[in-house]
Amino acid sequence: MATLAVAAGGGLGLGLGNSPNSLPSSLFLGKKLKSISNGSKFTILRPNSRSTVVAGGVELVDFVHNVFVGVGVGLPCTVMECGDMIYRSTLPRSNALTLTVPGAVLALGTLSYLWATPGVAPGFWDMFVLAFVERLFRPTYKKDDFVLGKKLGEGAFGVVNRVSSKKSNSKEGDLVLKRATEYGAVEIWMNERVRRACANSCADFVYGFREKSSKKGAEAEYWLIWRFEGESTLAELIQSKEFPYNVESMILGEVQDLPKGLERENRIIQTVLRQLLFALDGLHSTGIVHRDIKPQNVIFSEGSRTFKIIDLGAAADLRVGINYIPKEFLLDPRYAAPEQYIMSTQTPSAPSAPVAAALSPVLWQLNLPDRFDIYSTGLILLQMAFPSFRSDSGLIQFNRQLKRCDYDLVAWRKSVEPRANSDLRRGFELLDLDGGIGWELLTSMVRYKARQRVSAKAALAHPYFDKEGLLALSIMQNLRLQFFRATQQDYSEAARWVIELMARSGTKKDGGFTEAELQQLREIRPTKKGNPQRNALASALRFQKKILKTLNESMTELSQQGKSMWWSRWIPREE
């Protein structure tokens, strides 16, 4: 047991040997502590055999502090007088950040998340910087500034006219003016987002504004202005008996001196589909799902000689949740995917913009909403290959047949090919060119489950587009295609490596599964719901529902506050 000598007056007796005549400010600074062994006891002696009485609780605290200072514990050398007894490094401390493996992993993970589709960091930059700056430099227009020309179209969401500006100094050329009867504010927002993020995907948007209606008692109307790029939609072009050769002349500006046939038609269709997938990839990369992809909403731009997407009134901006309501959908039943919804109906309504942007990569990966547009694009490829499906009645009949086959294209082909007419046989022959890579791409796009469909990026990396088609690609498009293909190749090599690692039959490698065991794994069927041993897919779905339920409950209040169209403040009012 260790004890301290108690001096008279109820204090603690402290002793130090070989003390100088002058007592330092602290009894223990720069001095050795002597220990006098006496069995299991020791006594701390004070210098010159004098006793220091420390009375009261306050002095006791000072004593404990001095003890720690004396043994070099508790305070750095910059505060206490270490003397020569406490050894320390004389090297200067580095103020630079030290890179560690966990720190590097955390930094890379954070950056990956911030730039993962649909992009948290780009979303904040677009929302709070670019949108604000763009508003400062907007042109000023009114509906009276235009002279109405030819009516280009009329749909459920508005009327479109070709117009010219009344301003004598205007250099805009011909424009397209749309009076939006529904979803006008949404379409203005979407077009401005596209103009900032992926201008080449959609028609060149100029301006959107809101004005009071000339009719008494009517609500204010939204007006949208685009630069005139052309009148021909893909729907009009594929209805022609000359398709796809009529498209060839538009893309090249001339007709090729080549014999007509399947090879030539296939290259034209490849070009059209590739341009459409490039446009879709631009939209999806920035978090926008169109939800109404069909030939009527694909226009040919005469200036750039490419196909672009139009009519964003039904689009949803899933980066910040604009125009997205969980249990409502906007679609054309002829081209819509079987699920009808772009995300689970259990997904909560969009909260405030910063929260929605921060959570957008999670919800995107859970639902893969871009696959909704991929299904519609696959039906467009089907219409381009099979003339009998280009009419509404033909497409509706195909959808009924496909539904009876549980949305399995292979089963549908087996059911109709034996009794196929000449148009169907010619379509199958076109898709079977080059080893059937066209048919393989079509079946990877038109599938019942969204997760089994390819993305726009993966489709562009498909061998179907190894031939560059009719048009030379731009440098950036070439780089993107090479990157997509390299990525897909890496995935394929990784899959082959895993399979090779698992299989051991016929090799000298140890471990892994035999071919018989692999075949048993392939033949495993999901267990029934009542079975206590639930399969992995059911567990994953339950986990997803828990996440969505938690998000829904935690964001109810934020959702209620965000009911008003906060983003409508970016739409200019009547001057």
Side-chain angles (χ1 to χ4, degrees):
M1 177 178 179
T3 62
L4 295 176
V6 181
L12 297 177
L14 306 174
L16 284 175
N18 300 327
S19 172
N21 294 330
S22 59
L23 194 64
S25 59
S26 174
L27 298 177
F28 300 93
L29 291 181
K31 302 299 178 181
K32 292 183 179 179
L33 294 176
K34 280 192 175 182
S35 174
I36 302 176
S37 300
N38 183 12
S40 61
K41 301 180 179 181
F42 71 87
T43 303
I44 301 179
L45 302 177
R46 69 185 289 268
N48 298 329
S49 299
R50 292 182 299 173
S51 63
T52 302
V53 177
V54 183
V58 177
E59 286 78 3
L60 181 60
V61 174
D62 292 337
F63 161 72
V64 175
H65 171 266
N66 290 336
V67 170
F68 279 98
V69 171
V71 298
V73 179
L75 292 175
C77 293
T78 56
V79 176
M80 69 184 200
E81 303 173 18
C82 295
D84 296 327
M85 305 313 297
I86 305 299
Y87 295 96
R88 54 180 175 164
S89 173
T90 58
L91 296 175
R93 286 188 175 184
S94 174
N95 294 326
L97 292 176
T98 302
L99 181 63
T100 62
V101 174
V105 172
L106 180 61
L108 290 175
T110 303
L111 289 175
S112 300
Y113 182 83
L114 291 177
W115 265 267
T117 304
V120 178
F124 275 84
W125 175 258
D126 178 87
M127 174 74 65
F128 300 107
V129 179
L130 294 182
F132 177 75
V133 173
E134 189 179 66
R135 186 184 184 191
L136 299 177
F137 297 98
R138 277 176 171 165
T140 301
Y141 283 106
K142 297 180 181 179
K143 61 183 180 181
D144 294 333
D145 293 336
F146 304 101
V147 179
L148 290 181
K150 179 182 177 182
K151 185 177 180 180
L152 299 177
E154 182 176 1
F157 297 156
V159 182
V160 181
N161 287 85
R162 184 172 181 175
V163 299
S164 57
S165 177
K166 292 181 179 179
K167 298 179 180 180
S168 58
N169 57 349
S170 175
K171 299 180 180 179
E172 295 288 350
D174 285 349
L175 301 170
V176 173
L177 181 66
K178 177 178 180 179
R179 179 176 63 85
T181 54
E182 290 187 63
Y183 303 103
V186 169
E187 195 166 1
I188 291 175
W189 169 267
M190 297 297 172
N191 278 278
E192 290 188 344
R193 279 270 283 107
V194 169
R195 181 177 59 193
R196 294 190 297 266
C198 48
N200 294 327
S201 294
C202 299
D204 191 1
F205 186 67
V206 177
Y207 189 60
F209 59 95
R210 184 170 181 255
E211 280 192 2
K212 294 180 180 179
S213 175
S214 57
K215 299 179 181 179
K216 292 183 179 180
E219 295 182 357
E221 298 173 330
Y222 290 97
W223 298 80
L224 298 89
I225 310 167
W226 294 268
R227 289 185 176 86
F228 177 79
E229 298 199 56
E231 298 183 22
S232 301
T233 64
L234 184 59
E236 297 169 353
L237 293 172
I238 65 174
Q239 293 299 327
S240 172
K241 294 181 180 180
E242 296 298 321
F243 183 84
Y245 300 107
N246 57 342
V247 176
E248 176 189 36
S249 61
M250 296 172 65
I251 293 175
L252 293 178
E254 60 183 4
V255 177
Q256 293 187 105
D257 188 16
L258 294 173
K260 293 184 177 181
L262 289 178
E263 288 281 354
R264 185 174 169 187
E265 293 177 11
N266 189 41
R267 296 192 69 187
I268 301 171
I269 293 174
Q270 284 175 339
T271 303
V272 175
L273 182 62
R274 187 191 63 202
Q275 292 179 356
L276 180 56
L277 286 172
F278 263 120
L280 270 181
D281 178 55
L283 287 178
H284 295 164
S285 297
T286 191
I288 294 178
V289 180
H290 190 278
R291 295 200 291 188
D292 197 18
I293 293 295
K294 55 187 178 183
Q296 290 83 351
N297 289 336
V298 179
I299 194 169
F300 183 77
S301 173
E302 299 172 357
S304 60
R305 296 185 184 279
T306 58
F307 285 93
K308 294 185 177 182
I309 298 172
I310 59 173
D311 199 352
L312 301 177
D317 185 351
L318 298 181
R319 179 186 282 172
V320 289
I322 292 177
N323 207 29
Y324 169 70
I325 301 175
K327 295 184 179 181
E328 292 184 10
F329 55 83
L330 300 170
L331 51 84
D332 188 324
R334 297 171 299 172
Y335 295 89
E339 63 269 20
Q340 295 187 335
Y341 299 93
I342 57 175
M343 290 203 294
S344 170
T345 55
Q346 296 181 358
T347 305
S349 299
S352 60
V355 177
L359 295 176
S360 58
V362 177
L363 293 177
W364 189 277
Q365 292 302 322
L366 285 174
N367 296 277
L368 298 179
D370 57 316
R371 306 305 198 268
F372 188 93
D373 291 340
I374 293 298
Y375 186 94
S376 305
T377 307
L379 293 186
I380 293 177
L381 172 59
L382 187 88
Q383 285 186 305
M384 291 191 292
F386 296 91
S388 57
F389 297 148
R390 294 171 188 170
S391 63
D392 287 345
S393 59
L395 184 60
I396 292 172
Q397 182 182 1
F398 165 77
N399 285 329
R400 289 173 179 169
Q401 294 174 351
L402 188 64
K403 186 176 182 180
R404 286 197 294 266
C405 297
D406 296 326
Y407 295 93
D408 186 346
L409 266 180
V410 176
W412 169 79
R413 179 172 182 173
K414 290 179 180 179
S415 66
V416 300
E417 196 169 21
R419 48 188 176 81
N421 55 28
S422 58
D423 282 347
L424 281 178
R425 287 197 301 269
R426 184 176 177 82
F428 288 129
E429 291 174 4
L430 186 145
L431 293 173
D432 287 339
L433 292 175
D434 300 321
I437 55 176
W439 175 256
E440 181 186 340
L441 176 60
L442 178 63
T443 55
S444 67
M445 299 171 74
V446 182
R447 291 184 176 177
Y448 180 73
K449 293 185 178 180
R451 285 199 167 272
Q452 295 179 352
R453 300 173 204 148
V454 295
S455 63
K457 281 186 174 64
L460 285 168
H462 195 273
Y464 182 67
F465 298 106
D466 281 350
K467 295 180 179 179
E468 298 304 340
L470 295 172
L471 290 180
L473 293 176
S474 67
I475 296 177
M476 290 305 298
Q477 287 179 336
N478 241 322
L479 291 175
R480 286 171 63 188
L481 270 182
Q482 295 303 325
F483 174 75
F484 297 160
R485 289 169 183 164
T487 305
Q488 292 299 112
Q489 186 178 1
D490 291 343
Y491 290 157
S492 301
E493 291 177 357
R496 285 196 297 269
W497 177 78
V498 171
I499 294 173
E500 182 182 351
L501 196 66
M502 292 174 65
R504 65 181 178 184
S505 179
T507 67
K508 297 181 180 179
K509 297 182 179 179
D510 296 330
F513 296 98
T514 64
E515 291 182 358
E517 290 170 337
L518 288 174
Q519 184 61 31
Q520 290 178 358
L521 291 175
R522 296 189 188 100
E523 293 175 356
I524 290 178
R525 293 291 182 268
T527 57
K528 295 182 179 180
K529 188 174 182 181
N531 196 314
Q533 298 178 346
R534 299 293 179 89
N535 57 76
L537 178 59
S539 300
L541 290 175
R542 288 197 303 271
F543 181 65
Q544 176 181 344
K545 289 180 180 179
K546 288 182 180 179
I547 293 177
L548 295 177
K549 183 179 179 180
T550 304
L551 291 174
N552 195 12
E553 292 175 352
S554 61
M555 295 177 188
T556 300
E557 184 177 355
L558 291 173
S559 301
Q560 294 298 329
Q561 295 176 356
K563 290 292 185 181
S564 61
M565 295 190 299
W566 54 267
W567 42 271
S568 64
R569 67 181 184 271
W570 299 117
I571 301 172
R573 305 295 178 179
E574 183 180 11
E575 299 294 341

